[in-house]
Amino acid sequence: MQFDFIYESLSDHEKYVFNKLYNDYYYRRNNQFWYHEAMRKLPLLVEATRMLVCAEDLGMVPDCVPWVMNELRILSLELQSMPKDPSVRFGHLSRNPYRSVSTISSHDMPTLRQWWDEDHERTQSYYNTMLYRGGEAPHPLPGWLARDIVSRHLTCPSMLCILSIQDWLAIDERIRLADANAERINIPANPRHYWRYRMHLTIEQLISDHKFCDNIAELVSQSGR
């Protein structure tokens, strides 16, 4: 509705009132209904597997989602660039709940290298306030700085830290793709760009690259994972 020309014709006050009604209907009014529906269906799925269940609880979600996840011990998904706390610009990794999966990017998002160059003002803020570094943020993202970001995620309190192969490769400028845009897996809003990414290295090549493997082994060892 908010993208319709009729909505644009409303006054600011009318938009405010409409948005309150919209949010109440979609995110609060039906909370009990969605909660009971979830508790009727999800326990069967959770109990049917010995795997840990993780929820993609990102963006605007109904208030009942955390209730259900807590009762069923479902892991949350934590992305520093998409904090759950609306009062902060970036999530604090040290505040990640233990029952969570920490990651840097997902299949529907830009990789770390792409995100770094999307918005220089945002990146500069992240560089200064989250990485605690002074001066201008370097562009494109250098391997040593990607390594620092990966290291910080590995040492967070989340039970699991699962990173995409693209973000692992970002730490090594020798073997990562020259074109960061070629790393993108999927752009949901673009029907002509979907699931295009293909790893440019074979598993055998990665295994035989001792410098890269030792780098990862050191990061994992230092984090205690």
Side-chain angles (χ1 to χ4, degrees):
M1 179 64 188
Q2 282 91 338
F3 295 102
D4 196 279
F5 75 94
I6 296 177
Y7 177 84
E8 290 300 324
S9 69
L10 300 176
S11 68
D12 288 344
H13 176 70
E14 289 170 333
K15 287 179 181 178
Y16 171 77
V17 173
F18 176 85
N19 289 339
K20 282 189 65 177
L21 288 170
Y22 178 93
N23 290 335
D24 181 68
Y25 182 81
Y26 282 100
Y27 298 107
R28 285 183 287 274
R29 180 178 174 182
N30 296 311
N31 256 326
Q32 290 300 322
F33 170 76
W34 291 121
Y35 169 77
H36 290 299
E37 284 296 296
M39 294 305 296
R40 184 169 65 88
K41 300 172 182 177
L42 288 180
L44 298 175
L45 295 174
V46 173
E47 293 165 8
T49 177
R50 291 187 298 171
M51 294 188 293
L52 290 171
V53 179
C54 174
E56 190 178 351
D57 55 332
L58 303 174
M60 293 187 70
V61 296
D63 291 340
C64 65
V65 169
W67 311 343
V68 174
M69 290 174 59
N70 187 57
E71 284 195 42
L72 300 181
R73 299 297 187 265
I74 294 175
L75 279 65
S76 66
L77 185 60
E78 303 295 329
L79 276 83
Q80 193 175 25
S81 59
M82 296 181 65
K84 305 287 173 60
D85 182 354
S87 66
V88 298
R89 191 171 191 182
F90 307 107
H92 291 269
L93 294 174
S94 62
R95 299 177 188 172
N96 281 8
Y98 173 69
R99 198 168 63 235
S100 68
V101 176
S102 175
T103 191
I104 297 174
S105 62
S106 77
H107 59 283
D108 282 338
M109 296 173 60
T111 63
L112 172 60
R113 291 170 66 200
Q114 284 186 301
W115 180 86
W116 191 262
D117 284 330
E118 271 186 347
D119 184 331
H120 284 211
E121 186 277 327
R122 178 185 60 191
T123 300
Q124 186 64 48
S125 174
Y126 180 80
Y127 184 72
N128 298 141
T129 63
M130 293 290 106
L131 301 182
Y132 308 107
R133 296 181 181 274
E136 292 292 321
H139 291 277
L141 179 67
W144 62 265
L145 191 52
R147 188 183 193 276
D148 181 33
I149 295 170
V150 167
S151 176
R152 291 171 186 270
H153 281 76
L154 287 172
T155 55
C156 78
S158 296
M159 180 191 296
L160 299 175
C161 180
I162 303 175
L163 307 181
S164 70
I165 187 63
Q166 297 94 316
D167 292 343
W168 279 115
L169 291 172
I171 71 177
D172 195 323
E173 296 179 36
R174 296 178 305 112
I175 59 176
R176 70 187 191 184
L177 281 170
D179 180 11
N181 291 323
E183 295 179 339
R184 182 71 183 252
I185 295 177
N186 186 43
I187 302 178
N190 183 356
R192 295 184 180 278
H193 189 296
Y194 47 90
W195 306 100
R196 286 185 175 182
Y197 176 73
R198 297 294 183 269
M199 198 163 72
H200 63 290
L201 300 164
T202 65
I203 296 297
E204 290 75 16
Q205 286 175 311
L206 285 176
I207 291 173
S208 64
D209 193 320
H210 299 296
K211 183 177 180 180
F212 178 68
C213 292
D214 290 347
N215 202 358
I216 290 180
E218 182 180 22
L219 285 169
V220 174
S221 175
Q222 288 175 346
S223 69
R225 290 195 177 271

